[in-house]
Amino acid sequence: MRTVAVVGASLAGLSAARSLRKQGYDGRLVVIGDELHRPYDRPPLSKEFLAGTIGEADLALETEDEDLQAEWLLGTRATGLDPTDRAIRLADGREVRADGIVIATGAAARALPGSDGLAGVHTLRTLDDALTLRDELARGGRLVVIGGGFIGAEVASTAYALGLDVTVVEAAPTPLAGPLGETMGAIVSALHADHGVRLLCGVGVKGLSGERRVDAVLLEDGRTIPADTVVVGVGARPCVEWLEGSGLVLDNGVKCGADGRTSLAGVVAVGDCANWYDPRAGAHRRVEHWTGARERPDAAVATLLSWGAVEPGVPRPPYFWSDQYGVKIQFAGHAADADTVTIEEGAADDRNVLAVYRRAGHPVAVLGMNQPRLFTRWRKQLALTTT
């Protein structure tokens, strides 16, 4: 390969570029990103950065002396992929032809219908989103978070610490039931009530009120929640619309094998936009976690550089963490695979637990709340028993 293009300049794209050089690729390397910023760390955006305790420089993912000998095309969006010419079309009219392509375009925050053009309504996905929201929260007042997932919970926690009046609205009966299961989702989401943050569950949002700026959130049960600022945290969609018509199989992202290979030779996908095959489950799963974006590019790049010559391995169980109200929450595995969950250490009322998820008696996932040592031990065991 004379030219490899990495489409996406966040953690997954940077990790792929690093893997290419680490695995001996010495040809032309082009990294394309739709943001003007160099690669930065996203997890702190809803926590330390939003709180103002760290700055933009602290988010940098590249080291000061790092030089990947890459061409960085930043601030321009990929709009199409021509499989015949192996050309990536860009929004500014340019084309990048490449022998190998790594797709790492990530995911975009879902917006609330009808909220376009209404001041005070935010999503949080990018550094620019966080900068704008940080300025809003500095004004204080009443914040309504729509969506009780991890991003919404972290924003609520940060805003509470900043002194705002916070309400979280979640359409599902139990927040975090998807990633954690109902039992542990209820225990983790109880952190809101522990700190005086209102949590309204099992009710959807009908719309927003306000002429130029939002002034309230309208619920489907008829209630009205006054709001000076609204954060919408209702999930993300994979950024793959630019690949329509390319010949790639798209199904909840770019459909991939267990090694990142796609339906087109010489094209792999990594990060939040990649729907990888999980041999343990016998199904495809799109994993939107920091560790996946950092670790999986190694396997995908190995596949790209030796197409067909490398046997795909079994990816490690997905891992993510969250910090809410001073509690460190860690999770590894898949809660949906379990038929039982038991608290092995600590007490739910103390929000200090180690819980193990099992299927037919075998561990398939583990959750820790302020249990880093025990969690690390169980996570290692989980990796051994599920590979």
Side-chain angles (χ1 to χ4, degrees):
M1 293 186 178
R2 295 181 179 179
T3 299
V4 172
V6 177
V7 190
S10 193
L11 175 62
L14 176 63
S15 297
R18 286 170 169 165
S19 291
L20 282 159
R21 294 308 192 202
K22 182 175 65 177
Q23 295 185 37
Y25 175 72
D26 59 2
R28 181 187 179 214
L29 175 58
V30 183
V31 182
I32 301 163
D34 61 351
E35 294 185 63
L36 287 170
H37 307 289
R38 299 285 289 201
Y40 59 87
D41 206 15
R42 294 184 190 272
L45 295 181
S46 57
K47 301 186 282 287
E48 301 95 335
F49 185 81
L50 195 60
T53 58
I54 64 173
E56 290 187 44
D58 301 301
L59 300 175
L61 288 172
E62 298 167 278
T63 61
E64 290 185 3
D65 59 349
E66 185 171 20
D67 184 3
L68 294 172
Q69 297 294 307
E71 299 173 34
W72 293 83
L73 305 182
L74 300 178
T76 184
R77 179 172 50 88
T79 58
L81 172 62
D82 185 335
T84 303
D85 294 334
R86 309 193 68 75
I88 301 158
R89 295 189 296 273
L90 305 182
D92 61 10
R94 287 180 291 178
E95 280 192 350
V96 177
R97 295 175 183 264
D99 306 298
I101 297 170
V102 180
I103 298 170
T105 41
R110 296 186 186 278
L112 189 70
S115 63
D116 291 348
L118 195 59
V121 182
H122 304 268
T123 56
L124 180 57
R125 187 77 186 183
T126 69
L127 174 56
D128 290 336
D129 292 339
L131 286 166
T132 303
L133 180 57
R134 189 171 68 177
D135 290 342
E136 288 267 24
L137 296 187
R139 299 165 55 183
R142 301 161 298 184
L143 170 69
V144 176
V145 178
I146 301 174
F150 283 106
I151 293 296
E154 289 170 0
V155 170
S157 171
T158 301
Y160 161 81
L162 292 172
L164 279 79
D165 178 270
V166 183
T167 300
V168 178
V169 179
E170 169 57 49
T174 305
L176 303 173
L180 302 182
E182 289 190 6
T183 300
M184 299 311 300
I187 291 172
V188 172
S189 60
L191 287 167
H192 296 300
D194 292 346
H195 294 81
V197 170
R198 289 181 296 278
L199 175 61
L200 307 179
C201 297
V203 59
V205 172
K206 183 179 180 180
L208 305 175
S209 72
E211 294 185 3
R212 296 183 179 179
R213 183 178 180 87
V214 67
D215 58 32
V217 175
L218 310 178
L219 304 185
E220 290 182 343
D221 62 7
R223 284 180 288 176
T224 298
I225 312 299
D228 300 300
T229 305
V230 171
V231 173
V232 180
V234 292
R237 58 172 181 78
C239 296
V240 295
E241 60 278 355
W242 66 283
L243 295 167
E244 295 286 350
S246 66
L248 285 170
V249 177
L250 304 178
D251 179 12
N252 186 29
V254 181
K255 199 169 184 179
C256 307
D259 53 3
R261 72 179 62 222
T262 70
S263 54
L264 291 179
V267 180
V268 296
V270 294
D272 292 359
C273 69
N275 191 5
W276 278 42
Y277 180 72
D278 185 342
R280 290 181 299 265
H284 285 78
R285 283 173 163 157
R286 189 169 63 86
V287 176
E288 294 185 29
H289 300 321
W290 189 93
T291 47
R294 186 189 64 180
E295 295 172 355
R296 290 189 173 185
D298 283 344
V301 164
T303 298
L304 185 66
L305 296 181
S306 54
W307 196 267
V310 176
E311 286 294 324
V314 178
R316 295 176 62 187
Y319 163 75
F320 62 87
W321 76 93
S322 179
D323 296 289
Q324 301 173 28
Y325 305 102
V327 176
K328 187 169 189 64
I329 301 159
Q330 297 171 283
F331 187 87
H334 293 282
D337 294 345
D339 51 33
T340 63
V341 56
T342 57
I343 293 177
E344 306 278 326
E345 189 73 29
D349 290 344
D350 297 333
R351 317 297 181 221
N352 182 10
V353 301
L354 191 289
V356 178
Y357 299 68
R358 293 181 173 87
R359 183 176 185 84
H362 298 288
V364 294
V366 59
L367 167 72
M369 298 178 70
N370 280 345
Q371 292 279 359
R373 289 187 180 180
L374 277 178
F375 177 85
T376 300
R377 193 180 307 162
W378 270 98
R379 183 188 177 198
K380 290 178 180 177
Q381 181 178 338
L382 188 68
L384 293 173
T385 57
T386 57
T387 55

